[in-house]
Amino acid sequence: MNLYYLGSALNLSGLYMIAGSGALISIKSGDFNLGGEGQIYLGGFVSAVLLAKLGEVFAGSAMGGDLSWGAVILAVFLALCAAFLLSGVMALLSAVLKILRNADFLFTSFIASAAIIPFIDGLISGPARSQTENLLATPFIPRDARLPSILKPSPLNASFIAAIAICILLWFVLNRTAWGRQLTVLGVSPEFSRFAGFACPTLSMTSAFISGGMHGLCGAAAVVGTYFTCHQGFYAGSGWNALSAALIAGANPLALIPSSLFMGFVTTYANRYALYNNFGFDISSLIQAVILFIIAFPRPSINSFVEFANTKRENNSGNAAARFHKIIKLTHIRRGGRR
């Protein structure tokens, strides 16, 4: 097996786990966050710009020498926090509009994403564009701030391990904490949550903030570990694929791990098939759509087969009884005619 494609699939799966955790939280709360693409883009852009600027500042203070490990860790931590915070605020806006104006969270999150994407495109092609590269991208982040590959020559890095840890931690939070249980109840029955005295507005806002923040963290992880810059369109498909992984997992954080692996491998190898067979890359989206349709199509369970068999048996027994009574009736008529 080609190590590059294997590592790329695992790396992409890790990104889907991080963003899928945010999508899963929104599903648990009863609100579908459709702004994942814009939130990923915003997180990646903010982290790329901050790391590039902080790298210049720290490099200048070090008089052109290599950055110290303390400075690198501080810069990466600040970039990740900024990505989480700004993307979280972006999703929080939809929750506030829902609480204050009864606006549809699904609609407002999608509109906010659709608005932020061309705005960031304009910044990347304008004032934030690198002056030394020909790409439509921000300046590259310092080499010391990049996550090294753990499976060369692929981009697989430590963010994959962190993504698995996030899924396990999210399972614990949703199933072993009061906040997680209340959030689950809110998603199932908002009316019961209000009558039970839960702080529903607080639950909605915190879940929206964490959902958006996880998407922003996914964008930052992609910049720090995969692209090392924020180029136009790097987010494409990530938000929707992460949402698909969360839906396949049935809003179970532990099931999000295999579902993200599935989506990552399907996306990577569908693109590989399109590349090696001279197809357009749209064919990869078509392959994904067919597979997801097969998965989402309702499958008959054993209980449905048993119910069908029982119904068929009842119908057959009823038809048999009707035929028997008809035969008895005809026999009596014939005997009456002979007499």
Side-chain angles (χ1 to χ4, degrees), residues 194-283:
R194 286 193 291 269
F195 282 115
F198 295 166
C200 296
T202 302
L203 288 172
S204 297
M205 289 190 293
T206 53
S207 63
F209 179 77
I210 296 174
S211 175
M214 294 306 298
H215 282 92
L217 197 61
C218 170
V223 167
V224 174
T226 304
Y227 303 114
F228 312 128
T229 183
C230 178
H231 61 82
Q232 282 191 358
F234 86 89
Y235 64 89
S238 298
W240 298 113
N241 287 341
L243 179 60
S244 299
L247 292 173
I248 293 173
N252 183 345
L254 296 182
L256 181 62
I257 298 175
S259 65
S260 297
L261 287 170
F262 170 77
M263 289 300 301
F265 274 84
V266 167
T267 303
T268 301
Y269 283 94
N271 288 333
R272 180 189 182 189
Y273 176 82
L275 178 65
Y276 286 177
N277 293 276
N278 294 324
F279 286 107
F281 283 103
D282 290 338
I283 192 67

Side-chain angles (χ1 to χ4, degrees), residues 148-201:
S149 173
I150 58 178
L151 186 64
K152 294 183 178 180
S154 74
L156 181 64
N157 54 77
S159 65
F160 177 76
I161 301 173
I164 296 177
I166 288 173
C167 292
I168 297 174
L169 178 63
L170 181 59
W171 178 89
F172 178 83
V173 170
L174 291 177
N175 294 279
R176 294 293 185 269
T177 65
W179 181 85
R181 295 192 184 99
Q182 291 181 7
L183 185 69
T184 303
V185 173
L186 175 64
V188 174
S189 178
E191 293 81 5
F192 179 82
S193 299
R194 286 193 291 269
F195 282 115
F198 295 166
C200 296

Side-chain angles (χ1 to χ4, degrees), residues 59-79:
S61 62
M63 298 181 181
D66 294 334
L67 298 179
S68 65
W69 281 109
V72 170
I73 294 174
L74 178 60
V76 173
F77 178 75
L78 290 176

